Amino acid sequence: ADTFASHAGIGIGLVMALRSTIRRAVNGEMTIPADLFPRPIPPTYMLGRLDTDFQTYPEQEGIMRDAAQNMAYEASLELRKARELQNDVPKTGRACLLPAMPAMNYLSRIKEAEFNLWDPKLNTEQSRLWLLTMLGKSWLTGRI
């Protein structure tokens, strides 16, 4: 159960950092580690002007998508390891599986959006309804 919690926690943390990239960029912060970028980070990213710089520097969008894809891949690996270990969690601790559901949901949606963090599909009412359904199913079955 401890190993499951470790992998799930890392995966969830990576997804939360990825989800907060745009909001944190407003304050000039970058939540994606520099070593996940395929090329050096352009200085404009560090200034928190991510949403407007793509018109001036279109090549930066590709850099950002590649970095988001790399981070999503790392999160996916951790969540996959956690999913493999879910049977080792005692029934009384199955509620700890639930936080992994929103993270896995976001990873599937960002893949559909081709790792574009600005895609409006990442934050829709339909995805929230689906997530609530999946959380209920996970709660009843004890599986993620």
Side-chain angles (χ1 to χ4, degrees):
D2 288 341
T3 307
F4 165 84
S6 174
H7 288 297
I10 291 169
I12 292 167
L14 288 171
V15 169
M16 293 300 112
L18 190 59
R19 287 183 77 164
S20 68
T21 299
I22 295 173
R23 287 189 180 162
R24 301 287 298 269
V26 172
N27 296 326
E29 301 171 4
M30 179 52 65
T31 59
I32 300 176
D35 58 341
L36 292 180
F37 280 86
R39 298 180 290 283
I41 305 169
T44 53
Y45 280 117
M46 301 312 287
L47 299 175
R49 293 179 279 168
L50 293 173
D51 54 349
T52 59
D53 282 342
F54 290 156
Q55 289 123 15
T56 310
Y57 306 102
E59 73 279 356
Q60 292 180 2
E61 183 177 7
I63 295 171
M64 195 64 188
R65 282 182 189 227
D66 290 346
Q69 183 176 7
N70 290 339
M71 192 157 175
Y73 176 74
E74 295 297 327
S76 178
L77 285 178
E78 292 296 330
L79 289 170
R80 193 173 302 132
K81 289 176 190 174
R83 194 173 210 173
E84 291 169 2
L85 297 170
Q86 71 183 347
N87 292 330
D88 297 338
V89 177
K91 287 187 179 186
T92 56
R94 293 280 167 99
C96 71
L97 302 174
L98 294 178
M101 290 299 296
M104 293 184 337
N105 176 301
Y106 184 79
L107 288 175
S108 67
R109 287 186 292 129
I110 197 169
K111 185 177 180 181
E112 289 173 10
E114 298 176 355
F115 304 98
N116 178 5
L117 298 175
W118 291 265
D119 194 313
K121 288 186 276 188
L122 294 178
N123 203 9
T124 64
E125 292 297 324
Q126 182 182 9
S127 63
R128 290 186 190 126
L129 179 61
W130 180 88
L131 180 60
L132 287 173
T133 304
M134 294 310 294
L135 281 170
K137 178 184 171 194
S138 182
W139 178 261
L140 290 172
T141 62
R143 299 187 59 79
I144 55 174

